[in-house]
Amino acid sequence: MSRDTDALATVGVELDVTTVITALQGETNELARSKAAREHAYLLGRHGAGELTVAEHRDTLTANKLLSRTSFDKAHKAGITDARNTTTSTSAARPRAAADRPDGKPHIEASGAPDGIRNLTAAIDNGLFDDLYVTNGEIVHVGPVSGDTATGTDDPLPLAATPLTPARFAATLAHQAYVYRTARGPNGTSWEEECVPAERVLAAVLSARHWPRVRPLRGIVGAPVLRPDGTLLQTPGYDPATGLHYAPKVTLRPVPERPSRAEVVTAKQFVERVLHDFPWVAPADKANYLGLLVSPILRPHTRALTPFGLVTATTQASGKTLLTDIAGALHGKRQQPWPETDDELRKVITSVLASPEAVIVFDNVEEGTQVKSPILAGLLTATEWSDRLLGSSKTAQRTNDRLWMATGNNIRLGGDMATRTAVVRLDPDMPNPDQRTGFAVPDLETWLTAPVNRHRLLWNILVLVADWVTAGAPRTTHVMRQFTPWAQATGGFVTHHGLPGFLDNTTDVRDMDDQAAMWQAFLARWEHKFGTQALTSAAARASLDREPDGTDPWDGTIPDTLMNGRHLPSAVELGRRLGGHVGRWYGPYVLRAGTDSHSKARLWHVDKREDDA
């Protein structure tokens, strides 16, 4: 019995029947439990267990109602038959010598489930597979994807990163490794055979979340980016300094580390020629656009959050979509319709963050739409995004390293979006702007579809980036909430290259915030009616009622957020809603709150900055 025990232990067959029963009873799925019991019976036959061992396991499984005697015998006999067939077809009934194994591949033993899990885990963690990386604790496979059907101005990325599934892992092992087990026949014979580990073994390996020696992958980029040390990532492959895998969409000639003055002048002229004929409202709009355009290149260097990029115009055919096409031509673009609800927006964000495109555009938002979403506002100020996958209890965690943009005519901003948005405005100031002629680049849309033109544009922008770094990567003093590092770096870039007005349209952007404008009008009316007088919620509520002659004492300035639909709120509701705006400045006005020392009632009054009086 000892030789039987040693032989079966070598190939990972569990002989302690108590351990077998415990493992099977711990399986909650009845079909999986039955399958595992039959597989155990099969392995006892496949690897030549003795009669006493077989009888003990058969009787115990049957007594515990884990498998019928008929099912056990059928599976056991199938194992014996397979062992005999393998013995007959194998020319050498002995373990294969190491010299007989295939060269050039790692050799991984997976004779039993425990050994297979341990050895396969070690193989991944020791870097035996060049195309495996880790992202957020999950092993991902980087490889080419065939049949890309993308059309337009953007070249598809040649590589994609996808989570490593058990099926993909099995294919990787079959192509890149020699995985084997030692098989033993019923007559004491043994041999080494190549195998594919069971799916549950592969799934167990991939369930690990800690991979200390696997290279972390932050993303795949198809164009050069600026490293934290100020050098351009231009060598294809994995870059440890950034955690990025550079997979060139096109082959660019190397950008010099210190461009010559002639190269810089030529680059400026080339970029100016491309951007010259857009009907910018003010210099700020052109400067803001160039700052957004280089943001994906500078992001690894600045490690800064990037604001929302809104391209809005007074009318159609102004060039809004074409500006985002230019960004897509350089970095890769994914275009999405504007979702109608925040729930739809969450699904869109989770979906697009699984794709490699660096620029996400909500194109042609309906005219006059107010872009107001707490989901989008929260996304812009977070480096990570988490959401539950559709139809699953699993939570997806994605790195938010994209440039988010939208286009539309006369778009408004609401909520917190005004302070999280860099706005680019276009105004042709003419009827039928699609009939314009005399452009520096005739038919720019078609021009962008030519690969040689996209390559030249990208190369010249990279020259401008390298020149900015050579000058010490100067910054400006702009302040923009959580986006201050972005504003100071990109502001320094565009200012260094002679474009004035970066973020100078901030006041106009605030005017696009309908909610803020309404609250400013309301507080201005309050200050005009009551000065600095403190009002209780009840008194403030009473002042909202119309005069006996039907006139509105507030001249229509009551914000929608204070109303109950079309009806005025109660005093309690009014106090609760006013409380959400205490201390927030709307233009020169701010709502203050206090408490009456005797009645303990909440008191409200409006202050006005004296310098705006």
Side-chain angles (χ1 to χ4, degrees):
M1 189 75 174
S2 62
R3 283 200 330 187
D4 180 36
T5 301
D6 293 342
L8 290 169
T10 299
V11 293
V13 180
E14 181 57 62
L15 292 180
D16 184 350
V17 71
T18 303
T19 301
V20 174
I21 297 300
T22 301
L24 292 175
Q25 291 177 336
E27 174 58 68
T28 58
N29 184 282
E30 183 176 352
L31 291 176
R33 182 168 60 245
S34 177
K35 180 180 178 181
R38 289 195 302 272
E39 184 174 352
H40 179 67
Y42 169 86
L43 291 175
L44 291 174
R46 180 72 171 79
H47 296 291
E51 292 183 6
L52 293 178
T53 300
V54 173
E56 178 188 14
H57 285 244
R58 179 195 297 116
D59 293 344
T60 308
L61 289 173
T62 303
N64 283 275
K65 298 182 179 180
L66 295 169
L67 200 65
S68 69
R69 188 181 186 88
T70 300
S71 295
F72 182 97
D73 288 341
K74 184 177 180 180
H76 180 250
K77 289 178 181 177
I80 293 175
T81 301
D82 283 354
R84 287 173 178 169
N85 290 340
T86 303
T87 302
T88 302
S89 61
T90 303
S91 59
R94 59 177 178 79
R96 178 183 291 171
D100 297 330
R101 297 172 181 169
D103 294 328
K105 293 183 177 181
H107 301 156
I108 306 170
E109 184 176 5
S111 293
D115 275 346
I117 293 172
R118 286 189 290 267
N119 294 341
L120 291 170
T121 300
I124 293 177
D125 205 35
N126 289 331
L128 297 186
F129 305 100
D130 292 337
D131 50 5
L132 299 186
Y133 301 83
V134 62
T135 300
N136 293 323
E138 185 176 34
I139 296 296
V140 296
H141 174 264
V142 173
V145 177
S146 299
D148 192 298
T149 58
T151 59
T153 59
D154 182 29
D155 298 300
L157 276 171
L159 299 177
T162 53
L164 190 65
T165 63
R168 178 66 250 178
F169 191 17
T172 298
L173 292 173
H175 288 291
Q176 300 186 33
Y178 173 68
V179 183
Y180 67 93
R181 65 186 172 199
T182 300
R184 298 182 183 276
N187 301 317
T189 56
S190 62
W191 59 93
E192 185 179 289
E193 61 184 12
E194 189 173 12
C195 67
V196 176
E199 182 177 353
R200 71 178 189 277
V201 172
L202 301 177
V205 173
L206 299 179
S207 68
R209 303 290 293 174
H210 181 55
W211 301 93
R213 292 183 292 277
V214 178
R215 295 173 296 178
L217 181 70
R218 292 188 59 83
I220 299 176
V221 293
V225 294
L226 195 63
R227 293 189 182 98
D229 65 0
T231 60
L232 281 171
L233 167 56
Q234 301 188 74
T235 303
Y238 180 74
D239 182 53
T242 59
L244 298 173
H245 194 292
Y246 175 36
K249 296 189 294 182
V250 296
T251 302
L252 288 176
R253 58 192 175 100
V255 176
E257 183 178 340
R258 302 177 69 88
S260 68
R261 180 48 45 195
E263 288 173 324
V264 174
V265 170
T266 300
K268 286 182 180 180
Q269 291 173 344
F270 189 91
V271 174
E272 170 59 27
R273 179 167 168 260
V274 173
L275 302 182
H276 180 268
D277 293 310
F278 285 92
W280 315 103
V281 170
D285 301 293
K286 185 176 182 179
N288 290 358
Y289 175 73
L290 184 58
L292 291 168
L293 188 63
V294 300
S295 292
I297 299 173
L298 301 187
R299 188 161 193 159
H301 176 70
T302 62
R303 300 179 182 179
L305 296 167
T306 304
F308 191 61
L310 176 62
V311 183
T312 184
T314 56
T315 186
Q316 70 275 9
S318 300
K320 306 177 299 295
T321 299
L322 189 52
L323 285 176
T324 62
D325 284 344
I326 294 173
L330 301 186
H331 313 297
K333 179 183 76 168
R334 177 156 174 174
Q335 203 160 286
Q336 293 285 143
W338 178 250
E340 295 183 359
T341 66
D342 276 344
D343 188 49
E344 291 180 11
L345 178 60
R346 292 189 68 92
K347 295 175 183 176
V348 168
I349 293 170
T350 301
S351 172
V352 300
L353 284 178
S355 65
E357 291 83 6
V359 182
I360 313 299
V361 179
F362 298 107
D363 196 35
N364 286 321
V365 178
E366 185 177 356
E367 185 168 5
T369 295
Q370 184 184 55
V371 176
K372 174 187 174 183
S373 167
I375 300 298
L376 182 57
L379 169 72
L380 294 170
T381 54
T383 57
E384 298 286 337
W385 169 262
S386 296
D387 191 31
R388 186 171 61 85
L389 291 172
L390 186 64
S392 170
S393 60
K394 185 178 179 181
T395 297
Q397 186 173 356
R398 317 278 195 214
T399 299
N400 177 28
D401 55 358
R402 312 303 166 87
L403 172 59
W404 298 87
M405 303 184 74
T407 69
N409 294 328
N410 300 308
I411 301 300
R412 312 293 295 172
L413 296 170
D416 289 329
M417 289 302 297
T419 56
R420 304 180 189 208
T421 302
V423 174
V424 177
R425 301 163 302 164
L426 302 176
D427 183 6
D429 194 24
M430 63 179 296
N432 305 317
D434 57 313
Q435 301 299 314
R436 290 175 295 166
T437 58
F439 297 118
V441 180
D443 194 1
L444 181 57
E445 185 175 6
T446 302
W447 182 88
L448 272 177
T449 62
V452 64
N453 293 328
R454 298 198 299 273
H455 306 169
R456 292 173 64 199
L457 178 59
L458 175 59
W459 192 88
N460 282 292
I461 287 180
L462 290 170
V463 166
L464 297 182
V465 171
D467 179 67
W468 173 68
V469 172
T470 299
R475 263 63 167 177
T476 58
T477 58
H478 288 92
V479 175
M480 189 183 182
R481 292 189 61 169
Q482 296 97 325
F483 310 102
T484 294
W486 171 86
Q488 293 179 349
T490 54
F493 171 82
V494 298
T495 302
H496 172 72
H497 289 299
L499 268 70
F502 181 71
L503 293 183
D504 280 358
N505 58 4
T506 303
T507 301
D508 295 330
V509 171
R510 292 197 185 103
D511 291 342
M512 296 170 67
D513 188 339
D514 291 339
Q515 184 185 47
M518 186 173 291
W519 269 89
Q520 181 174 336
F522 173 68
L523 295 181
R525 183 66 177 168
W526 182 312
E527 194 271 341
H528 176 75
K529 286 172 64 67
F530 303 111
T532 59
Q533 177 186 348
L535 303 178
T536 64
S537 296
R541 168 61 186 84
S543 75
L544 303 182
D545 289 326
R546 289 184 175 273
E547 302 290 354
D549 62 0
T551 59
D552 178 6
W554 288 85
D555 291 337
T557 62
I558 301 174
D560 293 340
T561 51
L562 290 183
M563 302 289 286
N564 283 333
R566 297 181 179 180
H567 304 287
L568 293 170
S570 67
V572 173
E573 291 171 332
L574 178 63
R576 185 182 305 117
R577 294 171 187 177
L578 286 174
H581 296 266
V582 170
R584 179 173 176 177
W585 288 90
Y586 293 99
Y589 303 99
V590 64
L591 180 67
R592 303 295 190 189
T595 304
D596 185 273
S597 59
H598 298 291
S599 67
K600 305 303 181 183
R602 199 90 185 269
L603 298 176
W604 312 94
H605 74 277
V606 171
D607 282 341
K608 181 179 181 181
R609 284 199 304 263
E610 292 186 3
D611 56 352
D612 288 281

